[in-house]
Amino acid sequence: MEYKSFLPPKRVLMGPGPSNIHPRVLEAQSRLTIGHLDPKFVELMDEIKALLQYAFQTDNEVTFPVSAPGSTGMETCLVNLIEPGEQVAVCVNGVFGGRMKSIIERCGGIPIVIEDEWGTAVTTSKVEQTLAQNPEVKILAFVHAETSTGARSDAKIISEIGKKYNCLIVADTVTSLGGSELKVDEWNLDAVYSGTQKCLSCPPGLSPVTFSKAAIDKIKNRKTPVQSWFMDVNLVLGYWGGGAKRSYHHTAPINSLYGLHEALILIKEEGIENSWNRHRLNGDLFCKAAETIGLNPYVKEEERLSQLIAISIPEGVDDAEVRSKLLSDYSLEIGAGLGSLAGKVWRIGLMGYSSNKSNIEFCISALRNVMSR
Ligand SMILES: *Cc1c(COP(=O)(O)O)cnc(C)c1O
């Protein structure tokens, strides 16, 4: 067997992530590697923190990218906040809410599940009812943008209800950061995590997180140590929080951080509100165009994400065949349905750099051609 360098095909990525990477981000990632305690690198880390604070719309001191994908951000928020035996309310309306529930259990927590049908937003009255009936619950977790179904939940209202019952609020913003209105401070979210490969248009492998002062207070006052060494925020902060006195915790993924820095500069240049608006307008455009070729969005308009649109697969159309033709004939990737929506929907991503008019036209005409055959 002779091995050659891997040359990836050129794809248009319109699935649930990764999205296409901006050329400036790719170029940034290929720059020379320097040491992770090099003073120049430490300056870069400070800028990443400030740019992340902007993207999250927060002044939280504890804001940094976890060196691992979005699921690790989820786990970082939950393992730090939950002590064994604690009840945690968790909203489950898709795959990622279900993943939160599993992690809560692995932390020794007791999940109090608030369930909603896949393809709908979290029902806020159920949140209120659950918290009223379970006064011991002091943590409320939910997914802002449920990528498995394309539903957007009302983070502001969910947080308001949680605060009324003295809860810390954990929010999954993996798909919403950069793509939907998100205001961490104004909405009083306490532990928020995201990912890089969705609306930030960065390669996967990093998970930006931010913790409020109330969340950090709870972590500092734990009776039991955080069971994960790697994710223990108290230890990570020796590296990410230390100003000039940073010390070794783990070797940061240096080149990935060059990429994240560039992606965040792109968001800053565009303006975060403009980025939200661009996603919204393109999502609307896509849905209108899809309807003209007989494809209907699965989620009702008020609860629909713009950056991830689930489309009902028409009767008699072969799900897997269409997706494989799109890939082979158009080099276009779209997403399959997950779990209970497998075979029922396609998931079309219009995330970050992939959210543009020419992608919409390309995807609609490719779908029309493939389905008419
Ligand atoms: C993609 C995603 C995750 C997981 O991110 P990974 O980088 O795949 O680990 C978590 N939550 C939501 C809502 C996501 O879309």
Side-chain angles (χ1 to χ4, degrees):
M1 178 77 195
E2 198 195 322
Y3 294 102
K4 296 200 198 102
S5 301
F6 179 67
L7 297 173
K10 195 168 177 207
R11 303 281 196 217
V12 177
L13 298 178
M14 297 181 72
S19 50
N20 283 116
I21 313 299
H22 195 288
R24 270 173 56 185
V25 174
L26 280 180
E27 193 270 326
Q29 294 217 145
S30 67
R31 290 177 195 155
L32 294 174
T33 303
I34 58 175
H36 68 119
L37 293 168
D38 187 307
K40 285 288 173 200
F41 191 71
V42 170
E43 283 174 28
L44 177 83
M45 290 167 70
D46 285 334
E47 286 195 19
I48 289 173
K49 178 172 156 186
L51 287 162
L52 276 179
Q53 287 170 325
Y54 171 71
F56 275 128
Q57 297 281 287
T58 183
D59 292 328
N60 285 344
E61 253 318 289
V62 181
T63 303
F64 64 95
V66 177
S67 305
S71 304
T72 324
M74 183 188 288
E75 196 142 11
T76 297
C77 289
L78 296 171
V79 292
N80 278 281
L81 285 179
I82 300 170
E83 293 206 67
E86 282 182 337
Q87 292 182 14
V88 180
V90 57
C91 304
V92 179
N93 61 336
V95 166
F96 294 104
R99 190 173 291 183
M100 278 183 156
K101 173 176 177 269
S102 311
I103 296 176
I104 292 165
E105 286 165 346
R106 285 170 186 243
C107 294
I110 301 158
I112 308 289
V113 177
I114 302 163
E115 203 147 6
D116 273 291
E117 213 167 299
W118 287 38
T120 66
V122 170
T123 306
T124 53
S125 58
K126 284 193 202 172
V127 177
E128 172 106 43
Q129 201 182 9
T130 304
L131 295 182
Q133 285 167 355
N134 295 277
E136 273 181 45
V137 170
K138 288 292 163 273
I139 299 172
L140 168 65
F142 73 98
V143 179
H144 187 202
E146 194 28 279
T147 322
S148 63
T149 69
R152 175 176 40 81
S153 292
D154 194 331
K156 182 165 178 259
I157 302 288
I158 293 171
S159 178
E160 266 170 33
I161 297 168
K163 287 294 155 191
K164 203 169 119 188
Y165 293 92
N166 298 313
C167 287
L168 291 172
I169 314 293
V170 179
D172 177 318
T173 67
V174 176
T175 285
S176 55
L177 182 64
S180 301
E181 184 183 31
L182 170 64
K183 296 181 170 173
V184 167
D185 285 2
E186 205 179 301
W187 297 352
N188 283 307
L189 307 173
D190 294 292
V192 182
Y193 60 91
S194 191
T196 44
Q197 77 273 28
K198 315 241 168 145
C199 296
L200 299 184
S201 277
C202 236
L206 292 172
S207 180
V209 294
T210 185
F211 288 91
S212 69
K213 188 164 175 307
I216 293 297
D217 284 348
K218 177 159 198 303
I219 296 168
K220 296 246 184 262
N221 289 309
R222 286 178 64 108
K223 290 178 211 75
T224 54
V226 176
Q227 77 267 28
S228 161
W229 179 87
F230 184 73
M231 285 178 262
D232 184 342
V233 164
N234 297 300
L235 303 178
V236 180
L237 285 184
Y239 183 56
W240 270 101
K245 303 192 300 284
R246 287 173 207 268
S247 57
Y248 170 69
H249 175 264
H250 66 277
T251 310
I254 294 151
N255 289 54
S256 299
L257 290 167
Y258 298 167
L260 176 59
H261 180 257
E262 194 68 24
L264 292 169
I265 288 178
L266 283 161
I267 295 244
K268 182 88 201 227
E269 285 174 0
E270 182 176 14
I272 190 76
E273 286 91 357
N274 294 332
S275 180
W276 300 335
N277 283 335
R278 172 169 55 85
H279 284 86
R280 187 173 46 76
L281 293 173
N282 287 332
D284 289 350
L285 263 179
F286 182 87
C287 290
K288 286 214 181 72
E291 280 161 8
T292 65
I293 61 164
L295 295 175
N296 299 310
Y298 185 78
V299 177
K300 66 178 172 190
E301 194 171 353
E302 316 83 82
E303 301 182 347
R304 196 184 293 158
L305 287 169
S306 303
Q307 61 272 50
L308 191 284
I309 299 160
I311 292 285
S312 301
I313 300 173
E315 206 68 38
V317 171
D318 187 326
D319 166 27
E321 193 184 340
V322 168
R323 282 185 290 105
S324 94
K325 281 264 183 314
L326 289 175
L327 195 66
S328 61
D329 299 359
Y330 294 86
S331 212
L332 168 63
E333 178 181 280
I334 66 167
L338 282 182
S340 64
L341 296 183
K344 287 194 188 161
V345 301
W346 290 314
R347 291 180 303 146
I348 314 285
L350 286 162
M351 298 181 180
Y353 188 53
S354 292
S355 174
N356 63 65
K357 293 205 173 67
S358 71
N359 273 0
I360 295 171
E361 284 167 20
F362 177 63
C363 180
I364 292 290
S365 75
L367 272 168
R368 189 203 305 117
N369 294 344
V370 168
M371 284 194 305
S372 71
R373 269 189 244 148

